[in-house]
């Protein structure tokens, strides 16, 4: 794990999965953030949110642009690891007891049907809606009780950023074990409901943000505007950090 742009990233996919497995085996609670460009931007504008992000075990890099930035500044190779990818990588292992939290009942039912095609054990696992509340209003003790009763290893959360990251940080103290991973719209992508991910050619050419803008212009244009405004300073600070490290 290494800190880039003030975020504690694990950029190696195999190591990320190994660390999650180690945490499960240790029987200790923790959470993992899936940090896309929006989270990177929000965390660097909000110290409290940055503290939440870095209170995780680590963050994976769900951004096609951060690897480009790292190549420009440090000359290193890194890969994007998006939420839906780590979600399906762990599902395909067929080794963990899991709990699925968030989204609507229709989305959860569609997700369950899809996942059971990969691992039929999932038919007996818990899929729970969450009420539409602020992060301060959730009954974390009761949610943790249900999770503990299910004896789970992995807790998947779909609430959207920045809500889901704060949710994980507040749920963790009430758990005795289990790794919480927030995967945003992955439930809808994989369940085939409402939202679809950009075509692979757009993802490969770093154009997924264009697809998202056309899919949800009001929401995404505001987010992209903040990124455009703050990105130059963020890149400059990271470049200066590298220069200072080389001098010391």
């Amino acid at each position: 794990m290494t800190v880039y742009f003030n975020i504690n990233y694990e950029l190696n996919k195999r190591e990320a999965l190994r660390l999650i497995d180690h945490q499960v085996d240790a029987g200790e609670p923790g959470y993992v953030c899936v940090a896309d460009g929006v989270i990177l931007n929000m965390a660097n504008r909000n110290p409290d949110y940055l503290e939440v992000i870095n209170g995780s075990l680590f963050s994976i890099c769900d951004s096609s642009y951060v690897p480009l930035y790292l190549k420009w500044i440090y000359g290193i190779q890194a890969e994007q690891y998006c939420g839906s990818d780590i979600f399906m990588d762990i599902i395909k292992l067929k080794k963990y007891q899991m709990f699925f939290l968030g989204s609507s009942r229709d989305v959860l039912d569609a997700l369950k049907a899809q996942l059971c095609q990969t691992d039929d054990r999932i038919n007996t696992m818990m899929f729970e809606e969450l009420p539409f509340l602020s992060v301060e209003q959730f009954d974390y003790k009761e949610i943790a009780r249900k999770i503990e009763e299910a004896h789970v290893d992995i807790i998947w959360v779909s609430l959207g950023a920045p809500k889901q990251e704060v949710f994980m940080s507040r749920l963790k103290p009430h758990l005795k074990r289990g790794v919480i991973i927030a995967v945003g719209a992955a439930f809808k992508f994989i369940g085939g409901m409402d939202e679809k991910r950009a075509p692979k050619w757009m993802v490969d050419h770093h154009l997924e943000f264009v697809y998202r803008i056309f899919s949800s212009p009001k929401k995404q244009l505001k987010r992209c505007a903040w990124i455009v405004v703050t990105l130059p300073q963020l890149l400059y600070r990271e470049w200066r950090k590298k220069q200072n490290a080389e001098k010391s």
Side-chain angles (χ1 to χ4, degrees):
M1 289 176 279
T2 310
V3 176
Y4 295 113
F5 304 106
N6 297 316
I7 289 180
N8 186 27
Y9 282 113
E10 176 50 67
L11 297 173
N12 184 291
K13 295 181 180 182
R14 288 186 179 180
E15 182 64 8
L17 295 175
R18 188 196 70 78
L19 289 170
I20 290 169
D21 192 60
H22 175 77
Q23 191 74 10
V24 170
D25 285 346
E28 298 176 357
Y31 62 95
V32 173
C33 293
V34 178
D36 62 6
V38 173
I39 289 177
L40 172 66
N41 178 269
M42 286 192 292
N44 278 280
R45 289 190 290 112
N46 184 331
D48 291 337
Y49 187 53
L50 180 61
E51 185 176 350
V52 166
I53 298 299
N54 286 336
S56 66
L57 298 170
F58 57 86
S59 292
I60 62 169
C61 179
D62 184 3
S63 168
S64 64
Y65 281 93
V66 168
L68 292 179
Y69 305 154
L70 294 177
K71 186 175 182 180
W72 294 339
I73 296 171
Y74 293 98
I76 64 173
Q77 295 290 335
E79 291 184 82
Q80 179 182 15
Y81 199 12
C82 70
S84 55
D85 286 344
I86 193 172
F87 182 74
M88 287 309 302
D89 284 348
I90 289 177
I91 294 294
K92 290 173 183 176
L93 292 174
K94 301 181 182 181
K95 65 183 293 186
Y96 299 116
Q97 186 70 17
M98 296 173 287
F99 200 106
F100 303 81
L101 267 174
S103 205
S104 68
R105 177 49 54 190
D106 287 345
V107 170
L108 291 173
D109 289 345
L111 176 67
K112 185 176 184 178
Q114 288 292 328
L115 297 182
C116 283
Q117 295 178 33
T118 301
D119 182 0
D120 57 12
R121 298 179 313 119
I122 289 174
N123 190 52
T124 63
M125 296 182 190
M126 297 293 292
F127 288 72
E128 287 278 333
E129 288 182 271
L130 287 172
F132 188 73
L133 300 171
S134 69
V135 287
E136 294 80 16
Q137 294 175 307
F138 285 110
D139 186 345
Y140 292 101
K141 186 175 181 180
E142 175 61 16
I143 294 169
R145 183 190 65 78
K146 291 182 179 180
I147 291 170
E148 295 292 343
E149 286 182 353
H151 305 289
V152 302
D153 304 307
I154 306 285
I155 304 104
W156 297 105
V157 175
S158 176
L159 286 172
K163 188 175 184 178
Q164 62 190 10
E165 289 75 34
V166 178
F167 177 91
M168 291 193 296
S169 72
R170 294 188 176 215
L171 177 60
K172 177 194 166 186
H174 298 277
L175 295 175
K176 295 178 181 177
R177 66 185 306 274
V179 177
I180 323 164
I181 310 174
V183 288
F187 284 14
K188 292 181 180 180
F189 291 156
I190 294 163
M193 298 286 289
D194 299 329
E195 295 186 32
K196 296 185 182 299
R197 198 177 175 199
K200 187 176 185 302
W201 70 266
M202 296 188 80
V203 175
D204 291 344
H205 289 83
H206 311 286
L207 294 173
E208 187 168 11
F209 75 96
V210 176
Y211 181 87
R212 291 189 177 185
I213 287 173
F214 279 99
S215 299
S216 181
K218 185 176 180 181
K219 175 182 177 181
Q220 298 299 334
L221 281 172
K222 182 178 179 181
R223 288 181 166 185
C224 288
W226 270 113
I227 292 174
V228 169
V229 168
T230 59
L231 182 59
Q233 184 180 21
L234 194 62
L235 291 173
Y236 176 73
R237 288 205 305 260
E238 194 69 18
W239 177 79
R240 289 294 301 166
K241 173 185 166 184
K242 179 200 173 190
Q243 297 298 309
N244 291 336
E246 289 176 346
K247 291 176 182 178
S248 61

